[in-house]
């Protein structure tokens, strides 16, 4: 009993040190791992990554907490309540969702749980650290039946691209993509970019009935590569991140979607929340739906 009490006291003291708001707690763990034997260090790291529950009340969804950036992903419902509402209202069993820029998968997981794994979801994420967590999150939430993770960047052409990381931690965003492959840049690697049209027409992926496109400013490139598939009447709605101001990029995206048969769209306004108190500083999302006339004709 004395040994157990001592162990508990040591654990409490160690946790207190780790909970410091500076970086000394993380440094303490790093020093601990350095002093471990190889096998013990491997077992420690394997069991170290905790999980926390996503803020989705209807179903329990857990995300790996493998970096500080995951905190924003755990509040995905608070961050984008309109996206969750769109998922719950639009996506039904048998539908196909393309989650383009899936990150670690919160919205793919919500779509899978909301349809009892009845929807087919293709989650695209080219960032290797985030893709690693995306794949594990799918498995720990028993969603492999519904979600297919794909380490690809959807683009206007099928070709190699240059991918520059903003950060190498899972859950990070605002990475940069370029068709000019330049490996001399720091934190830059070559990735595969694929036209959505090619995935459907050459590789046999099903036409999406719905798509979420959030790729940090490259949404137009994604849609340019989907021009023929966008015209398919099976594709019924899109939620996409646009600039807050009325920019040329916004105009190009709206024109492309109008030509493909979608309506003029509806802007989804953010409201202030505890984690996101200044929504006016962030970009906005728009939902576009296929025009009634086209759906009736189909």
């Amino acid at each position: 009993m004395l040994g157990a009490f001592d162990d508990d006291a040591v654990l409490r003291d160690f946790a207190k040190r780790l909970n410091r708001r500076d970086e000394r707690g993380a440094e303490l763990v790093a020093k601990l791992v350095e002093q471990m034997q190889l096998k013990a260090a491997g077992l420690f790291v394997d069991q170290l990554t905790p999980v926390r529950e996503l803020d989705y009340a209807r179903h329990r969804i857990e995300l790996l907490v493998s970096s500080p950036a995951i905190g924003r992903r755990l509040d995905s419902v608070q961050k984008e309540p309109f996206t969750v509402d769109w998922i719950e209202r639009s996506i039904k069993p048998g539908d196909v969702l393309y989650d383009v820029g899936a990150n670690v998968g919160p919205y793919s997981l919500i779509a899978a749980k909301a349809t009892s794994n009845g929807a087919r979801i293709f989650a695209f994420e080219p960032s290797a650290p985030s893709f690693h967590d995306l794949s594990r999150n799918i498995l720990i939430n028993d969603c492999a039946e519904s979600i297919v993770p794909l380490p690809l960047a959807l683009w206007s052409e099928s070709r190699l691209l240059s991918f520059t990381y903003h950060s190498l931690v899972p859950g990070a965003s605002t990475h940069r993509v370029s068709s000019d492959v330049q490996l001399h840049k720091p934190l830059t690697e070559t990735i595969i970019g694929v036209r959505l049209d090619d995935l459907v027409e050459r590789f046999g992926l099903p036409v999406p009935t719905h798509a979420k496109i959030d790729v940090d400013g490259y949404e137009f490139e994604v849609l340019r590569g989907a021009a023929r598939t966008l015209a398919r009447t099976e594709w019924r709605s899109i939620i996409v991140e646009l600039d807050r101001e009325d920019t040329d990029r916004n105009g190009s995206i709206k024109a492309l979607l109008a030509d493909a048969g979608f309506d003029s769209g509806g802007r989804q306004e953010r409201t202030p929340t505890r984690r996101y108190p200044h929504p006016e500083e962030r970009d906005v999302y728009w939902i576009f739906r296929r025009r009634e006339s086209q759906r009736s004709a189909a």
Side-chain angles (χ1 to χ4, degrees):
M1 292 297 294
L2 181 60
F5 176 80
D6 288 345
D7 287 347
D8 289 344
V10 169
L11 288 172
R12 286 195 298 271
D13 181 68
F14 193 51
K16 185 183 297 183
R17 293 170 182 267
L18 295 182
N19 282 329
R20 293 169 176 166
R21 292 190 177 274
D22 55 29
E23 297 180 356
R24 286 179 292 175
E27 292 173 356
L28 186 62
V29 172
K31 290 178 181 179
L32 175 65
V33 174
E34 286 178 359
Q35 297 181 37
M36 289 181 172
Q37 294 181 353
L38 179 61
K39 184 176 181 179
L43 290 171
F44 179 82
V45 172
D46 181 59
Q47 298 183 37
L48 179 63
T49 304
V51 297
R52 293 291 186 272
E53 192 172 351
L54 184 71
D55 64 336
Y56 184 53
R58 287 185 55 190
H59 296 277
R60 182 177 179 84
I61 296 173
E62 294 179 333
L63 300 183
L64 293 165
V65 183
S66 53
S67 80
I70 301 301
R72 295 193 302 274
R73 309 303 165 190
L74 289 169
D75 287 335
S76 289
V77 177
Q78 183 183 162
K79 175 176 176 283
E80 297 179 27
F82 43 82
T83 297
V84 176
D85 182 69
W86 170 77
I87 288 172
E88 293 178 340
R89 290 176 179 271
S90 301
I91 301 170
K92 309 299 180 186
D95 283 347
V96 177
L97 170 66
Y98 280 24
D99 186 359
V100 186
N103 203 279
V104 299
Y107 300 111
S108 287
L109 292 165
I110 289 173
K113 292 294 186 181
T115 59
S116 300
N117 277 335
R120 298 187 68 188
I121 301 157
F122 294 86
F124 297 87
E125 180 49 56
S127 164
S130 291
F131 183 80
H132 172 269
D133 275 25
L134 167 65
S135 299
R136 291 186 66 184
N137 287 333
I138 292 168
L139 294 174
I140 66 176
N141 287 284
D142 296 322
C143 290
E145 178 184 347
S146 181
I147 305 173
V148 178
L150 295 167
L152 303 171
L154 293 190
W155 199 249
S156 54
E157 302 175 79
S158 293
R159 55 166 298 163
L160 296 179
L161 299 171
S162 180
F163 189 88
T164 301
Y165 288 91
H166 172 71
S167 169
L168 291 176
V169 302
S173 60
T174 64
H175 309 299
R176 312 310 296 171
V177 184
S178 172
S179 56
D180 182 16
V181 177
Q182 298 179 351
L183 294 182
H184 63 275
K185 292 182 179 179
L187 299 180
T188 299
E189 64 182 0
T190 301
I191 62 171
I192 296 176
V194 183
R195 289 168 54 89
L196 191 153
D197 283 342
D198 288 344
L199 289 176
V200 171
E201 297 166 1
R202 296 177 58 190
F203 296 100
L205 265 66
V207 175
T209 48
H210 308 280
K212 180 184 189 300
I213 305 175
D214 183 354
V215 289
D216 296 328
Y218 300 104
E219 289 79 8
F220 184 54
E221 295 295 335
V222 173
L223 292 168
R224 284 180 59 203
R228 292 190 297 274
T229 309
L230 276 168
R232 300 273 295 266
T233 54
E234 300 100 303
W235 196 337
R236 302 196 298 272
S237 76
I238 303 170
I239 185 168
V240 59
E241 186 178 30
L242 298 182
D243 301 324
R244 175 164 288 277
E245 305 302 326
D246 191 14
T247 62
D248 291 341
R249 187 178 81 94
N250 284 9
S252 297
I253 290 174
K254 291 178 181 180
L256 188 154
L257 291 173
D259 289 344
F262 288 84
D263 63 16
S264 57
R267 178 170 167 141
Q268 308 302 300
E269 291 293 347
R270 298 177 184 268
T271 56
T273 63
R274 173 184 55 81
R275 181 175 284 275
Y276 304 99
H278 300 290
E280 71 279 0
E281 298 175 357
R282 304 175 65 83
D283 288 341
V284 297
Y285 289 78
W286 284 67
I287 294 176
F288 299 87
R289 301 185 186 277
R290 186 163 299 281
R291 291 193 292 267
E292 286 289 344
S293 59
Q294 286 217 342
R295 291 208 298 263
S296 299

